Amino acid sequence: MIRRILLIAAALAAAIATVSHWSVLLIAVALYATTIILSRLTGAAPRSGGDADQTGAAIVISVATGIVVLHADADAVSLWEVATVLALLHGLHLVRHVLRVLVYRRWRAVADWRNVAVAAPLPVRVDPVAGPTLVAIPVWVIAPILAIFDADPIAYVGLGVVCLGLVIGTLVPTSRALLHNLRMPSERARLAALTAALRKQSPEILVHFNARASSAYAITEWMTVLERLAQDHRVVILTVDRLPWHFDTIPPTAIPLVHLGGAEAIESFVEQVPTLTLALYPRNTSPNKNLLRVPGLYDVYIGHGESDKAEAANPAVRAFDEIWIAGEAARARYLDANVGVHEDQLRTTGRPQVGELLELAASTTSGPKKSVVYAPTWEGYYADDGYSSIVTHGDAVVSALLDRDDVTVTYLPHPALGTLNRRFADASSSVVSRLRRAGGRSVIAGSLSERYKVLAAADVLVTDIGTDVVDFLALDRPYFLVDDATIGTLRDDVVRALAGPQKDPARKKFALRYLGDLSTPPIDRFLAEVERTLALVRRVRPRRTSSATDGGEQ
């Protein structure tokens, strides 16, 4: 937002300043238009907000450069010299942009992998480096200073050299990446090499994940469980998207990671690795259909948390062979919602992640002050899924909690809070700033383990309908759900909860209903369910064979 405001302000200032130099403005606009036209002709038209900001900056840079140069010494520098410099800058930017798009096209929708020994090269990624934005720094900051002090024209020559160097510097890694990616074997050959390597490992379980970066928590919260599962079974994590950005968000792991870009590659992948038997889905998203339509796998929806949100009874889950739920509350939710889910699809497996929370709580010692955590959920995709209190009650919650000196207040927002709606992001930032001024703290948990560390140390939880309150039930500690009815008495309620007994038989009943039996390690029930399912599939479904002719199984 700030960068866009600066761009607009710079453009207005440039337009006003060019009243006596309309020719410079016309040249800049013409060059910018040429850049856009050539980009579209080459199929490299900007598609994202970031690229739009960069190309938008190009015209501002052009105008500002021309104004500064002409105002500095209008007699010594000709208009054509300015036009030549601007044309060179735009030309280099266009070349760089086209190269980036070519690299992107050669990189996206291709097979990528980690932790698999494949006899084929990996594609090279090029991180987006904003050439025009880099150029804008010296132009906006240094050039006006030189103009104010009536600098010698040689100073502007040096500034131009710096700007050219910045743009050219971004061309080198892009060109190298393009050459590398162009020399790679065909996509079919790389996919064949990948499946051949995996056939040697004979994986049984495929974990399918597709989501935007802000939703990566849905897979990261399962990593501890999957690591344990991988001790007994061969597991592969399959991410599906245009680009394999998921590799950057998944914690370090020895589990094979595979990225595929489309339905055809997924179908070929499953066909060529016939030992794959069980597919687990932590998210209920439309791209799941690309794997669900492939025959031969037993598809199980495992979700990424237990809650009473409307989305927790989404009718789309009826497409799965089984739906693994934490406790009887989820069973009742699906059946009462009458969304087409049959009772024989539901299997109670508990919430395996909660075992880590219980272990952390057992090893966490209390500090000198009581700990209260405010953990609002995110805004949700749909109107009926908007449970976050941060916009409507966030300030009131913080005011109530900060009213006591003997309490440490921790803010623990949902990982996706504010990613879809700017109002929620602004409200969250406001709470963070207020807590910092008051001596509280905020924690942006990058993993479930980090989140559990905060919850394990909490004496009281203030939250919304969501997974946090269900997981917190395992600790049998006081909690409060934020709404219009509770916000007025929240301060007094928290005071009484901190002073009273921590244990409550009613919470025990809720924990049993939502999380299942916690008397044994929660992960054991999940692992047992995996064993049952694998045995079932082996018994009732014929073993798949591969049609590969490159030395794989027949």
Side-chain angles (χ1 to χ4, degrees):
M1 179 61 71
I2 295 176
R3 185 168 65 176
R4 288 191 177 93
I5 293 174
L6 288 174
L7 283 172
I8 294 172
L12 291 174
I16 295 172
T18 49
V19 171
S20 59
H21 295 290
W22 287 107
S23 54
V24 176
L25 180 61
L26 290 175
I27 290 173
V29 171
L31 289 170
Y32 176 67
T34 302
T35 300
I36 296 300
I37 292 171
L38 291 176
S39 293
R40 292 188 180 278
L41 290 177
T42 58
R47 290 187 176 88
S48 67
D51 283 339
D53 283 349
Q54 294 174 30
T55 51
I59 187 171
V60 177
I61 294 165
S62 300
V63 175
T65 305
I67 293 167
V68 172
V69 172
L70 287 179
H71 275 291
D73 197 340
D75 296 328
V77 182
S78 71
L79 183 63
W80 293 111
E81 290 172 328
V82 174
T84 301
V85 173
L86 295 179
L88 181 59
L89 282 172
H90 276 277
L92 288 172
H93 169 55
L94 176 61
V95 170
R96 172 190 167 277
H97 186 65
V98 171
L99 287 176
R100 271 192 63 208
V101 171
L102 291 175
V103 173
Y104 169 81
R105 287 183 172 179
R106 188 62 177 150
W107 177 45
R108 71 173 183 175
V110 301
D112 202 349
W113 55 83
R114 301 292 185 272
N115 307 327
V116 186
V118 181
L122 289 171
V124 173
R125 288 190 292 175
V126 175
D127 294 326
V129 179
T133 305
L134 290 173
V135 174
I137 296 173
V139 169
W140 287 352
V141 178
I142 301 175
I145 296 175
L146 295 177
I148 291 172
F149 290 98
D150 197 18
D152 191 272
I154 192 65
Y156 294 97
V157 175
L159 182 62
V161 171
V162 172
C163 294
L164 289 174
L166 288 172
V167 176
I168 293 173
T170 66
L171 292 176
V172 174
T174 305
S175 301
R176 287 180 176 175
L178 179 60
L179 290 174
H180 171 86
N181 291 354
L182 287 175
R183 288 196 297 262
M184 288 194 307
S186 68
E187 176 60 8
R188 175 176 292 184
R190 296 180 71 255
L191 185 58
L194 171 61
T195 53
L198 283 173
R199 280 197 300 274
K200 296 178 182 178
Q201 299 182 12
S202 301
E204 303 169 276
I205 300 171
L206 184 67
V207 183
H208 177 273
F209 179 72
N210 176 282
R212 62 174 63 195
S214 60
S215 300
Y217 62 89
I219 184 66
T220 59
E221 80 157 48
W222 278 100
M223 289 309 298
T224 301
V225 177
L226 294 178
E227 292 279 1
R228 173 61 186 85
L229 181 61
Q231 295 178 16
D232 302 322
H233 298 280
R234 291 171 293 280
V235 180
V236 174
I237 297 176
L238 171 64
T239 68
V240 182
D241 206 333
R242 290 182 303 172
L243 299 175
W245 60 263
H246 302 88
F247 291 168
D248 298 329
T249 61
I250 294 177
T253 179
I255 298 175
L257 305 177
V258 173
H259 167 81
L260 298 175
E264 184 178 352
I266 293 173
E267 184 172 356
S268 177
F269 175 81
V270 175
E271 178 186 345
Q272 301 304 324
V273 188
T275 54
L276 289 172
T277 303
L278 174 63
L280 305 178
Y281 301 77
R283 275 183 62 83
N284 185 21
T285 54
S286 57
N288 287 344
K289 67 180 182 294
N290 292 327
L291 185 60
L292 284 169
R293 63 178 293 276
V294 180
L297 293 176
Y298 198 76
D299 301 296
V300 174
Y301 177 65
I302 57 176
H304 57 276
E306 162 64 5
S307 77
D308 282 323
K309 290 183 177 180
E311 184 63 17
N314 191 315
V317 298
R318 60 191 174 192
F320 296 96
D321 292 305
E322 290 185 1
I323 304 160
W324 289 2
I325 56 178
E328 292 306 308
R331 181 182 302 276
R333 188 185 309 119
Y334 276 116
L335 297 179
D336 292 346
N338 194 27
V339 293
V341 173
H342 301 292
E343 187 162 7
D344 58 1
Q345 288 179 273
L346 301 171
R347 300 289 302 184
T348 304
T349 63
R351 171 93 165 127
Q353 293 89 341
V354 167
E356 182 180 359
L357 176 60
L358 293 170
E359 292 175 1
L360 287 169
S363 61
T364 300
T365 57
S366 300
K369 293 184 177 182
K370 294 288 187 178
S371 172
V372 179
V373 173
Y374 174 41
T377 190
W378 74 305
E379 57 268 34
Y381 284 111
Y382 311 107
D384 64 349
D385 206 31
Y387 297 93
S388 181
S389 62
I390 190 65
V391 170
T392 56
H393 299 101
D395 284 339
V397 170
V398 173
S399 296
L401 300 181
L402 289 177
D403 199 33
R404 289 176 59 95
D405 296 331
D406 59 341
V407 170
T408 298
V409 180
T410 301
Y411 177 58
L412 186 66
H414 187 284
L417 178 59
T419 57
L420 294 184
N421 191 315
R422 187 67 193 180
R423 288 193 309 129
F424 289 80
D426 292 341
S428 181
S429 297
S430 176
V431 167
V432 171
S433 299
R434 187 174 177 187
L435 281 175
R436 286 175 179 170
R437 292 193 301 268
R441 67 173 185 142
S442 59
V443 177
I444 307 300
S447 67
L448 187 66
S449 294
E450 295 173 2
R451 197 168 191 85
Y452 275 172
K453 288 178 182 177
V454 177
L455 294 178
D459 295 292
V460 173
L461 175 66
V462 179
T463 187
D464 305 321
I465 293 176
T467 299
D468 282 335
V469 65
V470 174
D471 287 353
F472 199 70
L473 284 171
L475 303 182
D476 192 13
R477 297 175 187 174
Y479 65 87
F480 298 95
L481 295 178
V482 180
D483 57 29
D484 293 337
T486 61
I487 192 65
T489 61
L490 180 61
R491 178 190 177 279
D492 294 336
D493 291 339
V494 170
V495 170
R496 283 192 294 269
L498 291 172
Q502 290 285 298
K503 306 301 180 182
D504 185 346
R507 285 198 297 268
K508 281 284 190 181
K509 293 181 180 179
F510 274 121
L512 179 62
R513 178 170 171 77
Y514 280 86
L515 297 172
D517 184 9
L518 298 177
S519 61
T520 58
I523 196 171
D524 289 352
R525 191 169 185 180
F526 179 86
L527 296 175
E529 199 63 32
V530 171
E531 297 291 348
R532 178 203 65 84
T533 306
L534 288 173
L536 170 68
V537 177
R538 295 187 190 108
R539 187 173 64 253
V540 302
R541 294 193 176 183
R543 183 175 181 270
R544 295 188 298 117
T545 59
S546 169
S547 61
T549 58
D550 55 357
E553 296 179 30
Q554 299 296 315

